[in-house]
Amino acid sequence: MFTTARLLQLGATASQIRRAVRVGDLARLRPGWYARADADPAVVAAVRTGGVLGCVSALRAHGAWVAPGHDSLHIRTSKSLRGSVSRSCRGDGPPAPTEYAVDPVDVALGCALRCMTDEHWIAACDSVLESGLAHRADIVSVLGPRGRKLLDKCDERSQSGTESLVRVRLRALNFAVIVQPRIAGVGRVDLRVGRLLIECDSKSHHTSLENYQKDRHRDRNALVRGWLKMRLTDDDTLFGWEESLEAIRGVTLPERHRIRGRDRPW
C-alpha cells in the first residue's frame, strides 16, 4: 500500500505511477492512494472506502490479541474525509493524521476504547505491552481520563488474552490475584489466589506432546507440594465463565485456598 508521496520518495515518477496503474501493477484506491495486487483485502477495503484500517482491525493486523466478537471492519478517517464513511472510529481529542494504511498501535488502542468492553480493551493492551508492540508512554499520550484508568489495570506480564480476562474479572470480585508467580518445584504459573494456582491454557500451547507432558509433570509437583491447581481452557473463559467462576468459588468460599501457618506449601 502506497501514498503518492511515498511512491515519489521511492523514486517513481508521476508517469511511471500512471503506467503501473494502466498495466495493473498498481490499483488506484482513491486519490493519492495505491495498492499492489497482493495487498491485504481488509486494508484495501478501508482505504478504498475513504479511511485507513484502524481501531480493533488495526490491533489484529499488528498481531495483538483481540477477543472474539470484533469481526467487523473498523475504519478511521481523517477530519477532512469523515463524511465519506457511515461510521468512523475515533479516539479522544483531535484526529491523528492518516499517514499509514494501517494505524499505529497506540492510535488503534485510543480508538478501540469506544468499540471494546473495558475488559477486552485491557486484554488487548496487555498483549500489546507484553509483545512490545507499543510502550506505556506512547499509549498514555493518546488516552483520555477513562483510558488512563484502564491502562493502570493493564499488566505486561500477562501471557495470554484469556489470562488477562481471568485476572480482571477476579480482581473486580475482590480476589487477591498474583500474576505470573514463580512456584518452587513447579515453575512460573499464570495466576495465584492463595494456594490456588490457575493456568489459562490456549489450544496452540497444547498442540505439542512435549508441552502436554511438561504440564502434567508440573501439576503433579504442585499437588505434592500442597498447592491446588485449576486449568481453564480458552472456551472456559470466553464462553463458559459462569461455570468456571462457580468452580473457583467452590474452592475459595470454603477457604480451602487459604495459606495458614504450617500449611504453607513453601
Side-chain angles (χ1 to χ4, degrees):
M1 193 78 63
F2 307 93
T3 61
T4 302
R6 180 58 179 157
L7 288 171
L8 295 175
Q9 288 174 355
L10 293 172
T13 64
S15 61
Q16 288 173 328
I17 295 172
R18 288 193 296 271
R19 182 180 182 280
V21 172
R22 190 165 58 250
V23 301
D25 291 337
L26 289 176
R28 184 176 181 272
L29 304 181
R30 72 170 195 256
W33 287 85
Y34 302 86
R36 295 191 323 196
D38 60 350
D40 185 298
V43 183
V44 169
V47 174
R48 195 187 296 278
T49 302
V52 296
L53 196 72
C55 195
V56 181
S57 298
L59 291 175
R60 183 181 288 111
H62 283 292
W65 187 87
V66 174
H70 299 281
D71 298 326
S72 59
L73 187 65
H74 290 253
I75 302 171
R76 187 180 69 84
T77 62
S78 64
K79 187 176 181 180
S80 60
L81 293 172
R82 184 161 290 173
S84 61
V85 297
S86 58
R87 182 180 182 278
S88 173
C89 299
R90 62 187 182 89
D92 294 330
T98 50
E99 299 178 273
Y100 308 100
V102 180
D103 264 340
V105 173
D106 55 342
V107 174
L109 278 171
C111 290
L113 279 168
R114 297 173 183 265
C115 295
M116 304 176 94
T117 64
D118 288 358
E119 64 176 27
H120 284 182
W121 189 89
I122 290 171
C125 191
D126 280 358
S127 171
V128 165
L129 293 169
E130 190 275 333
S131 58
L133 291 172
H135 301 290
R136 282 182 183 268
D138 302 318
I139 298 169
V140 74
S141 66
V142 301
L143 301 179
R146 171 174 163 258
R148 293 191 186 103
K149 287 182 180 179
L150 291 183
L151 183 60
D152 288 340
K153 297 181 180 181
C154 294
D155 195 319
E156 54 267 35
R157 295 172 296 175
S158 181
Q159 298 293 300
S160 71
T162 51
E163 178 189 331
S164 297
L165 293 179
V166 172
R167 181 192 81 241
V168 170
R169 290 170 180 176
L170 290 181
R171 284 183 174 170
L173 295 171
N174 296 318
F175 284 87
V177 182
I178 308 300
V179 177
Q180 290 291 317
R182 184 171 293 280
I183 307 298
V186 179
R188 197 172 293 280
V189 299
D190 292 337
L191 304 168
R192 178 170 76 81
V193 179
R195 64 174 173 175
L196 172 63
L197 308 180
I198 301 175
E199 296 274 31
C200 303
D201 294 340
S202 65
K203 293 176 183 177
S204 59
H205 174 75
H206 293 280
T207 53
S208 113
L209 178 60
E210 180 183 5
N211 284 339
Y212 180 87
Q213 291 174 332
K214 283 182 178 178
D215 285 343
R216 270 61 198 169
H217 182 71
R218 278 157 43 87
D219 290 352
R220 190 165 63 245
N221 284 348
L223 182 61
V224 168
R225 286 165 171 77
W227 297 99
L228 303 171
K229 192 78 174 286
M230 185 179 296
R231 290 188 174 275
L232 300 178
T233 66
D234 286 350
D235 285 352
D236 289 333
T237 303
L238 295 170
F239 309 113
W241 176 244
E242 290 303 320
E243 184 177 346
S244 301
L245 178 59
E246 184 179 350
I248 293 170
R249 282 175 164 158
V251 174
T252 57
L253 287 180
E255 298 196 345
R256 286 183 289 161
H257 71 301
R258 297 291 186 190
I259 298 175
R260 301 181 181 88
R262 290 181 300 175
D263 295 332
R264 291 180 180 273
W266 53 83

